[in-house]
Amino acid sequence: MTTALRSRVGVAALLALLACVWFANLDARRLIRPDEGRYAEIAREMAVTGDWVTPRLNGIRYFEKPPLQYWATATAYRAFGLHAWTARLYTALAGAALVVLVWRTGRRRFGATAGDLAGWVAVSMLWMVANGHLNTLDMGLTFWFGVLLAGFLHAQRDTATPGERRTGMALAAVGVAGAVLSKGLIGLVLPGGAGALYLVITRQWRLLARLHPVAGIALIGALVAPWFVAVSMRHPEFARFFFIHEHFARFVSEETHRRGEPWWTFGPLLLAGALPWTVAAVHGFARGFVAEAGERAFRPRLFLACWVGFVVVFFSASASKLPSYILPVFPALAWLAGDVLARIPARRIAWHAAPLIPLGIAALVLGLRAERWATDKTPAVLYARFEPWIVAAAVAMLVGAIGAIVLARRERRGAAVGTLATAALLSWQCAITGHDALAPSFSAADFARSVDAVVPRDCPLYSVGTYDQTLDFYARRTVTLVAFADEMAFGLSHEPHLWIPDLERFDATWRAGGCAFAFMEPPMLDALRARGLELREVARDTRRVLVAHPDVRPGALP
């Protein structure tokens, strides 16, 4: 076997091993609320109804986000069935594909060693792993931004031919289109802002001629326009809500989604999310502003640093903040960190691994005392089940950090980075898998069995004063909302027959008699009984109560 063949076999074996670790736990955890349940349920309703134009949540029009991930997940349901792993499949595939993209692009743009190390960084950073295993929209969005960045880095090389520039910018345009169909106008704003920042810093205005804007805009329009036109023709109210309310109002007003946080929120999240490569990521970001010899025009490291800086500043200025919003910076940080790890003396990698030792010890101590975080809704017994997983995660991180330090001191650069990355991936996966111990509090999966057992399909099920996004998915049915609108307020304003807006009207409906069940939180049960309603309790856990109307015969209940 030749050296080249052995190398290819080794790479294939390593990729297979990492893939097994990456995909192993997709079905090991129940979906949790709100995001996982929401996006799983929208796709379920799309798969059931066959309506690929109008997203619906609980049967109600839901125009907060475009449909690309819903389409992918609904397709997975139809192909493989309705499961937690099919609900997460698109996100996991997007994360895995992004890791490969970072690796291959890094090798071509920054050299073989830097590309290999960037791949290790990408597969093991906390925020990449965590968001690659949650059914939210941000990993899909980040994948498409990765496609955009890879195409742009390829097209803007100083040595690129005209054909390579056209191909690279076409790939970048596909990335923009995928981002727009994933999460809206942010797919245009972030690339435009980062590019403008780069041009202001460098004053390399001649690069504008390399962008092929007419062809790019035409390609983006051809990919994104069909759905936007179709949904607007079917629902004339869509455009105002989607473009004004969900973009501009969301950015400037905390009242729109009540997600206001301090301006500095993303700083700590960024440092934590880059673990175990925080030191290398910060170093790489800083080096991005240092001019490199031989860069006559385009400066890729500076562009990546501008991307990171603009994304963080943009979302920090927004009135709406969620931890996953900054995920798009991590492919750029992986390239910058891989470049640093390839340049520094191998022995200095030990200093990048050293901070993981006190962090691992702290996690070990916290893992042994997890019950202290218990509440009435998440009791100590659940945290006790979570503890072994936290301990395992901490031990994996400690062993990996120590091994990386030893290997770095022996100047085995690749082995040191690979050891720490593998340990980190295992550590994060242990913690993610173990979180299912808390699922009785954060998911209605178990509670849905009680619903399935006693609530006939032709009998109304009311959700009073609350809405658990995971209940619809696991019960395979929608509910009638009562005195609760929240994110479905816009859809309900156009379909008011789908809910009961206040308790007074619910009171009258319930007293009218007939087969009926209601789902609520325990305080609401007390409030309704105080109003004199007869409610026969059927099932209960720490967060949820299922009650039956007195007309439902007791013999029909378990």
Side-chain angles (χ1 to χ4, degrees):
M1 184 182 294
T2 66
T3 301
L5 181 57
R6 283 198 300 270
S7 176
R8 287 196 294 271
V9 170
V11 169
L14 181 60
L15 289 174
L17 175 62
L18 292 175
C20 289
V21 177
W22 186 270
F23 291 101
N25 62 346
L26 290 185
D27 209 40
R29 299 173 294 114
R30 287 155 284 191
L31 299 174
I32 60 175
R33 61 183 182 89
D35 289 352
E36 285 206 300
R38 177 193 303 118
Y39 299 126
E41 174 60 16
I42 293 172
R44 184 191 74 84
E45 295 181 33
M46 187 171 281
V48 170
T49 64
D51 184 353
W52 299 83
V53 174
T54 307
R56 290 183 178 272
L57 175 60
N58 194 47
I60 301 160
R61 297 175 205 170
Y62 191 84
F63 292 148
E64 292 202 4
K65 299 294 183 291
L68 180 58
Q69 184 160 324
Y70 311 150
W71 290 340
T73 306
T75 301
Y77 290 159
R78 288 195 168 188
F80 306 113
L82 208 64
H83 311 285
W85 73 268
T86 47
R88 296 186 178 112
L89 183 60
Y90 175 76
T91 296
L93 287 172
L98 182 58
V99 169
V100 175
L101 182 68
V102 167
W103 169 49
R104 298 299 297 172
T105 302
R107 286 180 64 90
R108 294 189 180 104
R109 193 63 190 88
F110 301 106
T113 300
D116 289 345
L117 300 184
W120 280 117
V121 171
V123 80
S124 57
M125 285 194 292
L126 170 58
W127 232 226
M128 286 281 288
V129 179
N131 285 278
H133 294 82
L134 289 172
N135 181 25
T136 67
L137 304 182
D138 294 287
M139 181 51 80
L141 173 70
T142 301
F143 166 74
W144 291 110
F145 277 141
V147 172
L148 156 71
L149 292 173
F152 194 81
L153 291 175
H154 177 74
Q156 300 308 318
R157 291 173 299 132
D158 292 339
T159 58
T161 66
E164 289 173 331
R165 289 211 172 97
R166 285 192 296 271
T167 300
M169 290 311 300
L171 184 63
V174 171
V176 170
V180 171
L181 285 173
S182 295
K183 223 172 178 185
L185 294 183
I186 201 71
L188 298 171
V189 172
L190 295 188
L197 178 61
Y198 174 85
L199 289 175
V200 168
I201 292 174
T202 63
R203 300 182 183 275
Q204 295 174 348
W205 307 108
R206 63 186 179 278
L207 291 180
L208 292 172
R210 299 182 179 182
L211 299 183
H212 298 285
V214 174
I217 292 171
L219 180 56
I220 294 168
L223 292 173
V224 306
W227 178 75
F228 281 97
V229 171
V231 73
S232 297
M233 291 178 65
R234 185 177 296 184
H235 306 286
E237 72 276 10
F238 164 81
R240 178 176 177 80
F241 176 81
F242 182 81
F243 293 109
I244 304 301
H245 182 274
E246 278 303 299
H247 286 82
F248 296 104
R250 187 191 194 107
F251 187 85
V252 301
S253 173
E254 293 183 8
E255 297 300 320
T256 303
H257 285 277
R258 299 186 299 279
R259 294 170 181 167
E261 298 291 344
W263 64 268
W264 47 262
T265 295
F266 291 118
L269 287 171
L270 190 62
L271 297 176
L275 288 171
W277 306 108
T278 303
V279 176
V282 172
H283 187 181
F285 175 76
R287 280 190 62 89
F289 294 93
V290 178
E292 297 286 337
E295 291 179 337
R296 300 188 304 276
F298 182 61
R299 295 170 56 184
R301 296 169 185 83
L302 175 59
F303 177 77
L304 293 174
C306 288
W307 173 267
V308 172
F310 182 80
V311 171
V312 173
V313 170
F314 177 84
F315 285 119
S316 296
S318 173
S320 178
K321 298 180 180 70
L322 285 177
S324 59
Y325 283 1
I326 57 168
L327 186 63
V329 309
F330 285 90
L333 287 177
W335 279 313
L336 293 171
D339 186 54
V340 164
L341 294 171
R343 289 167 175 261
I344 62 175
R347 292 176 64 87
R348 285 179 54 190
I349 293 175
W351 292 102
H352 291 259
L356 277 299
I357 293 179
L359 287 175
I361 293 172
L364 185 61
V365 172
L366 289 173
L368 293 172
R369 302 178 61 191
E371 292 101 326
R372 65 183 299 182
W373 306 107
T375 65
D376 291 340
K377 293 183 177 180
T378 311
V381 64
L382 300 183
Y383 278 101
R385 297 171 189 165
F386 193 15
E387 283 181 353
W389 294 94
I390 301 175
V391 171
V395 170
M397 186 61 74
L398 283 171
V399 171
I402 293 170
I405 291 171
V406 171
L407 290 166
R409 292 189 176 278
R410 294 177 181 176
E411 299 189 352
R412 298 180 60 187
R413 184 190 310 272
V417 171
T419 296
L420 184 57
T422 302
L425 176 59
L426 289 170
S427 179
W428 309 141
Q429 286 288 64
C430 282
I432 292 168
T433 304
H435 187 269
D436 191 63
L438 307 181
S441 178
F442 294 97
S443 175
D446 295 339
F447 199 85
R449 296 192 185 99
S450 299
V451 174
D452 288 338
V454 301
V455 183
R457 290 286 163 176
D458 58 351
C459 190
L461 175 60
Y462 299 101
S463 184
V464 186
T466 188
Y467 176 64
D468 189 321
Q469 291 87 346
T470 61
L471 179 63
D472 284 7
F473 176 82
Y474 282 107
R476 309 295 194 258
R477 63 182 294 163
T478 58
V479 299
T480 300
L481 295 177
V482 176
F484 186 88
D486 196 50
E487 60 190 316
M488 291 162 286
F490 173 79
L492 289 170
S493 70
H494 291 273
E495 299 174 296
H497 60 284
L498 296 179
W499 75 317
I500 299 176
D502 52 58
L503 293 180
E504 287 71 22
R505 272 174 272 196
F506 174 69
D507 190 311
T509 301
W510 191 263
R511 292 179 190 275
C515 181
F517 291 78
F519 166 85
M520 64 197 68
E521 295 178 352
M524 180 58 72
L525 175 60
D526 297 335
L528 292 178
R529 282 177 169 167
R531 298 173 68 95
L533 287 184
E534 291 187 60
L535 305 154
R536 182 182 298 116
E537 186 172 319
V538 176
R540 174 190 287 258
D541 63 16
T542 58
R543 284 186 182 268
R544 311 163 186 90
V545 181
L546 178 67
V547 299
H549 191 278
D551 285 353
V552 177
R553 294 179 294 103
L557 302 179

